[in-house]
Amino acid sequence: MAALILIGLDRRPAISDYWSMSPEFYTAWYHSMFPRQRFQDIYHSMLQAGDKDAEGKDKIEPFMDLLLGKFRGAFYPFQELSIDEMVIGFKGRWQFKQFNASKPSKYHIKTFGLCDSSTGYVMNILTYFGANTSYDPEADADSGAAVRIFDTLLTCVDRGHKIYADRYYTTRALVDHLLKKKHHYTSTLLLNRKSFPPQLKNLSLQHRQLRWFLHENSDVLCAAFRDKKAKKPVVLVSTDAQVDTTQVKDVDKPTVIHDYNSHMNGCDLLDQKVTYYLVFSRKSVKWWKKLFFWMMEITQVNAFILYTLTRTDAQKKIGLKKFKLMLSRQQQRWQRQQ
């Protein structure tokens, strides 16, 4: 594992280059650990993350569930959570491989992640396996994909959280479902979605103009705002917002948009930290090996976040009151488990 972490930092064209004797490549540390052939024997045979006869998702999913259980046992998140796609670049053959030209990795393995917005700590992951995706068995199969994804990811947290997501998931059915679950929801909105104010479809705003729309049940607030350089207005939906503005760089913006920009980056923060080592970016023909190394990177990031949270300067940054609240929630969770 130590060698793999260093290999992620020290990028070379081939594995054999790390044991090269040529002056420009020679590094004594690799030779002191073990011979090249010994490393390659372990590297190519160690990745039996499931049963030797396992097929499909059973090759890697039990191992991922084991790690995710450890993640949740070590940390309980703050109130703000973000849910978003997290992609792993993969060009090999796999029936559930996805293509999206707008993503940094056009061909990829698609996963959905639940992260703490303040720290980027990963709480839960759902890997997409088509019809075999491991949704929560208690989730209604006819409720829609977004509701099933959220139900599965939120099984590890108590009620009362503020969930931030993007417009891909936002439907009226999801908003109503999260309200029943006692969660607040804030997200951007596709203007053609049903059961939202019809005025949004033909909305036209001047630069730095804002408008508010309240649902007839008074449970959903929509905020529309067009920034100076934006071609179109941005529309947000929230079940935990007020008609209020916040001044950001001498510009009055809706507070709900400012809060969304502050808390939506949990999964993006994780993606940024994971790319510092890039062990999982090395080419592989096995899709489950990609997931194995990706989970290894996430484990490192989560461990580093736990380390930083114990430091005094980190406690001052996130606020001592907020830090004590996190500890009390964690102690209550441990007591329930006991």
Side-chain angles (χ1 to χ4, degrees), residues 77-253:
F78 299 108
Q79 188 176 19
E80 293 82 11
L81 302 173
S82 62
I83 292 179
D84 202 358
E85 285 187 11
M86 296 189 293
V87 300
I88 308 135
F90 179 69
K91 294 184 178 180
R93 292 185 179 182
W94 189 46
Q95 58 179 327
F96 304 120
K97 181 178 65 177
Q98 303 290 303
F99 174 80
N100 189 338
S102 63
K103 297 288 185 181
S105 301
K106 295 181 175 60
Y107 295 94
H108 55 263
I109 299 170
K110 182 165 72 172
T111 64
F112 304 96
L114 173 68
C115 297
D116 176 65
S117 296
S118 301
T119 61
Y121 190 92
V122 179
M123 295 299 302
N124 208 352
I125 292 173
L126 176 64
T127 307
Y128 178 75
F129 291 103
N132 297 322
T133 303
S134 300
Y135 295 112
D136 181 14
E138 297 182 1
D140 186 3
D142 299 326
S143 57
V147 174
R148 297 176 72 187
I149 291 170
F150 274 63
D151 262 355
T152 304
L153 293 175
L154 294 174
T155 52
C156 61
V157 296
D158 299 327
R159 64 184 184 179
H161 283 277
K162 297 181 180 180
I163 314 298
Y164 294 86
D166 63 20
R167 59 185 184 176
Y168 171 79
Y169 308 97
T170 307
T171 62
R172 183 65 206 191
L174 175 64
V175 174
D176 293 339
H177 181 75
L178 291 177
L179 284 173
K180 292 180 182 178
K181 294 284 187 177
K182 306 298 182 182
H183 288 300
H184 298 295
Y185 181 70
T186 302
S187 172
T188 50
L189 176 68
L190 287 173
L191 301 184
N192 59 353
R193 292 288 167 91
K194 297 180 179 179
S195 302
F196 288 101
Q199 299 92 330
L200 294 173
K201 294 183 179 180
N202 300 317
L203 184 65
S204 178
L205 298 179
Q206 301 296 323
H207 290 301
R208 293 183 177 176
Q209 182 183 358
L210 59 91
R211 290 188 63 184
W212 308 90
F213 300 89
L214 184 64
H215 194 269
E216 58 185 359
N217 295 335
S218 300
D219 56 358
V220 178
L221 181 68
C222 297
F225 176 74
R226 184 180 177 185
D227 210 346
K228 183 177 180 180
K229 297 181 180 180
K231 295 182 180 179
K232 297 180 180 179
V234 60
V235 179
L236 263 76
V237 174
S238 180
T239 59
D240 181 50
Q242 298 178 349
V243 179
D244 191 16
T245 59
T246 299
Q247 193 172 62
V248 181
K249 296 181 179 179
D250 299 328
V251 178
D252 289 331
K253 294 184 178 181

Side-chain angles (χ1 to χ4, degrees), residues 22-89:
S22 61
E24 62 271 19
F25 281 130
Y26 178 76
T27 304
W29 185 85
Y30 295 106
H31 295 267
S32 65
M33 291 294 289
F34 29 52
R36 181 184 65 186
Q37 190 59 44
R38 173 65 175 162
F39 174 83
Q40 289 186 327
D41 289 342
I42 299 174
Y43 180 73
H44 293 299
S45 63
M46 64 174 284
L47 297 178
Q48 303 297 334
D51 186 79
K52 63 178 182 179
D53 298 323
E55 295 293 336
K57 65 180 183 180
D58 293 332
K59 290 183 177 181
I60 189 65
E61 199 166 58
F63 173 75
M64 295 179 66
D65 292 340
L66 175 66
L67 277 182
L68 291 171
K70 300 292 184 181
F71 296 164
R72 295 190 284 267
F75 175 78
Y76 190 82
F78 299 108
Q79 188 176 19
E80 293 82 11
L81 302 173
S82 62
I83 292 179
D84 202 358
E85 285 187 11
M86 296 189 293
V87 300
I88 308 135

Side-chain angles (χ1 to χ4, degrees), residues 263-282:
H263 299 301
M264 181 51 203
N265 61 351
C267 294
D268 296 332
L269 186 62
L270 170 82
D271 287 338
Q272 177 188 356
K273 292 179 179 179
V274 162
T275 55
Y276 292 158
Y277 291 91
L278 288 176
V279 174
F280 71 95
S281 67
R282 187 169 292 278

Side-chain angles (χ1 to χ4, degrees), residues 78 315-316 318-328:
F78 299 108
Q315 296 176 22
K316 291 181 179 179
I318 64 176
L320 187 59
K321 185 177 180 181
K322 199 173 184 180
F323 184 75
K324 288 181 177 179
L325 178 62
M326 182 269 289
L327 289 181
S328 64

